[in-house]
Amino acid sequence: MLRQPARVVAAGFGLAIAIGTVLLMLPVSSESGEATSWVSALFTSTSAVTVTGLFVVDTPTHWSTFGELVLLGLFQVGGFGIMTFASLLGLLVTRRLGLRMQRSAQAETKTLGLGDVRRVVLGVIALSLLVEAVTAVLLTARFATGYDEPFGSAVYLGIFHAVSAFNNAGFVLYSDSLMGFATDPWICLPIVAAFVLGGLGFPVLFELVRHLRRQQRRWSLHIRITLGAYAALSVVGPVAIIGFEWDNPATLGPHGVGGKLLAGFVQGMSPRTSGFNVLDVGAMQPASLLMSDVLMFIGGGSAGTAGGIKVTTFALLAFVMLAEIRGEPHVHVLGRKLPPEVHRQALTVVLAGVGLVLAATLALLVMTPFKLDDVLFEAVSAFATVGLSTGITPELPAAAQILLVVLMFVGRIGPITFASALALRERGRRYDLPEERPIVG
């Protein structure tokens, strides 16, 4: 894994997507009993495995129960794989760099023991099942008592949406996503809680559990940055959406004050990257779309089911900028000094993401007749594996859909493997070159 982490991760996700594509192409997977085209099956399988949520066919009407169960299995496997792979790679990077700094004899092995792998895998499984089970019980109770669903149907709906929420998949068994539940806190809030927990990442949740059990008193720098940045953006997003959409007759306008606050809160949290929408995204104000673009691009926590460049990367760059503005020679964050290589890694990940999104946006503008707002939103949503859309996804030509497939795949495994590869490739130089400063700005 250390020598070729990108190949291991890419091969695992590629195999899952291929299996999902074959299963979704089977006639038994569709409601009509006819085979689904390979492009639609590939797009849907990729969207499920990368826990994105974009779709080119309507989920509840096109797929049979078998097809829906295939989707559930794909985004469960995808979410589990993301949290496991990312957590192991993060542990691997920390172990290697930590051992190297200590100049320990074990540093030359640069490997993880079976105990480490077992702890991470079992931890991810236990955490996933616990959150999904609690969420499923709450949703099942609401579907059964509030919407008169038969018990079996309520259980099915509860489990499907709980798994989709925790894995930030965004797949819903309703054609209008969660718009029909926009003012129902008993549906919306459990789903928000589930995708926030999934989006924070296993390392953060694991450390929180250890802290609650008093096994660890001091929080690490990673958890403090993640929680702080996540909390700040969780305020900015809902406040912006509520403010921009308050009087929009096509979104929040028809609701009462309480309904506006709840729906605006859910819609403002969703770009972090759950993909559930309680408002008509295509009818939102341009300012709301741009704010959603920013939130989607930033994403959630490292080693979680959310996508994007990650809140930690975003926060680190903010600290770097602050130190430069102040004229400080070093970057200090919450009582800790950041090594220069972390600055470079964060900058590289962000610029690579920006370049990929801009290239995809330009290609989509060339291939489709849609305006920039819609195309940019689609590209960012695919790269950040969010799943929100202004409604143009099913109308895209096959070539554009294939481009989004590539973007979802790269957007999901790229930041994970790219960041770890940058850290693992660090090596010293035996000499340095003469220093010269070019003009900046």
Side-chain angles (χ1 to χ4, degrees):
M1 179 182 290
L2 174 63
R3 293 182 179 179
Q4 299 294 343
R7 291 185 181 181
V8 174
V9 177
F13 280 90
L15 179 61
I17 290 171
I19 294 174
T21 301
V22 173
L23 291 176
L24 292 177
M25 288 177 64
L26 298 176
V28 70
S29 295
S30 69
E31 197 70 52
S32 64
E34 299 178 356
T36 302
S37 69
W38 72 269
V39 174
S40 296
L42 173 64
F43 189 98
T44 306
S45 179
T46 304
S47 182
V49 173
T50 61
V51 294
T52 302
L54 289 173
F55 56 86
V56 291
V57 293
D58 187 46
T59 302
T61 59
H62 179 84
W63 303 112
S64 64
T65 302
F66 176 80
E68 292 170 357
L69 291 175
V70 170
L71 290 177
L72 187 150
L74 290 176
F75 53 69
Q76 177 72 291
V77 169
F80 172 76
I82 291 161
M83 296 186 76
T84 303
F85 274 126
S87 297
L88 288 175
L89 286 173
L91 182 60
L92 184 62
V93 170
T94 303
R95 179 68 53 82
R96 174 182 174 180
L97 298 183
L99 289 174
R100 188 183 65 188
M101 290 172 63
Q102 297 169 18
R103 299 188 181 278
S104 166
Q106 291 180 312
E108 296 305 317
T109 62
K110 305 180 182 69
T111 58
L112 291 175
L114 290 178
D116 298 317
V117 176
R118 185 182 299 111
R119 178 171 60 89
V120 170
V121 173
L122 293 180
V124 170
I125 291 176
L127 177 67
S128 300
L129 294 181
L130 176 62
V131 176
E132 290 170 358
V134 172
T135 308
V137 169
L138 295 175
L139 294 179
T140 297
R142 183 56 178 169
F143 282 125
T145 60
Y147 298 92
D148 297 324
E149 291 283 354
F151 181 72
S153 176
V155 170
Y156 179 66
L157 290 171
I159 292 176
F160 187 95
H161 293 100
V163 176
S164 180
F166 178 72
N167 290 289
N168 279 238
F171 281 91
V172 182
L173 296 181
Y174 297 92
S175 298
D176 60 354
S177 190
L178 297 179
M179 291 175 62
F181 308 102
T183 58
D184 187 347
W186 300 103
I187 295 292
C188 291
L189 295 184
I191 287 179
V192 170
F195 71 63
V196 166
L197 289 175
L200 283 174
F202 174 73
V204 171
L205 297 179
F206 182 71
E207 190 169 335
L208 285 175
V209 171
R210 288 178 58 84
H211 182 75
L212 292 175
R213 292 179 176 177
R214 301 185 183 277
Q215 297 175 338
Q216 180 176 338
R217 293 186 176 182
R218 183 179 179 84
W219 284 4
S220 67
L221 180 61
H222 173 74
I223 188 175
R224 286 185 287 167
I225 292 176
T226 301
L227 292 179
Y230 208 102
L233 293 174
S234 295
V235 173
V236 171
V239 168
I241 296 299
I242 291 172
F244 295 145
E245 300 297 324
W246 187 268
D247 294 323
N248 187 343
T251 55
L252 291 181
H255 300 297
V257 174
K260 289 181 178 181
L261 294 176
L262 176 61
F265 169 74
V266 177
Q267 192 64 50
M269 293 292 293
S270 191
R272 308 307 308 288
T273 57
S274 72
F276 298 99
N277 63 283
V278 294
L279 302 179
D280 183 359
V281 177
M284 288 168 59
Q285 302 287 357
S288 299
L289 294 179
L290 182 58
M291 175 57 69
S292 297
D293 288 336
V294 174
L295 294 174
M296 290 191 295
F297 186 77
I298 295 173
S302 302
T305 52
I309 62 170
K310 311 303 183 187
V311 293
T312 311
T313 307
F314 174 75
L316 289 178
L317 281 185
F319 283 117
V320 171
M321 291 176 59
L322 182 61
E324 186 64 27
I325 292 173
R326 290 176 173 177
E328 298 176 353
H330 304 290
V331 180
H332 296 93
V333 180
L334 303 176
R336 291 290 185 270
K337 176 184 173 182
L338 289 184
E341 55 268 23
V342 173
H343 315 170
R344 299 194 301 268
Q345 291 164 12
L347 184 61
T348 303
V349 169
V350 171
L351 290 181
V354 170
L356 190 60
V357 168
L358 290 180
T361 301
L362 180 60
L364 290 173
L365 284 173
V366 173
M367 291 188 289
T368 69
F370 300 108
K371 59 183 181 180
L372 177 60
D373 285 349
D374 294 335
V375 169
L376 176 61
F377 193 91
E378 200 81 5
V380 176
S381 181
F383 166 76
T385 65
V386 178
L388 292 175
S389 174
T390 57
I392 68 173
T393 315
E395 302 176 31
L396 295 174
Q401 292 178 4
I402 295 297
L403 174 60
L404 290 183
V405 166
V406 175
L407 200 57
M408 287 187 288
F409 186 79
V410 174
R412 169 48 65 192
I413 69 170
I416 298 174
T417 57
F418 192 37
S420 62
L422 288 174
L424 293 172
R425 286 172 59 88
E426 289 179 16
R427 54 181 180 267
R429 290 177 64 103
R430 297 182 181 275
Y431 64 92
D432 213 339
L433 300 176
E435 182 178 298
E436 182 175 352
R437 290 181 65 94
I439 298 175
V440 177

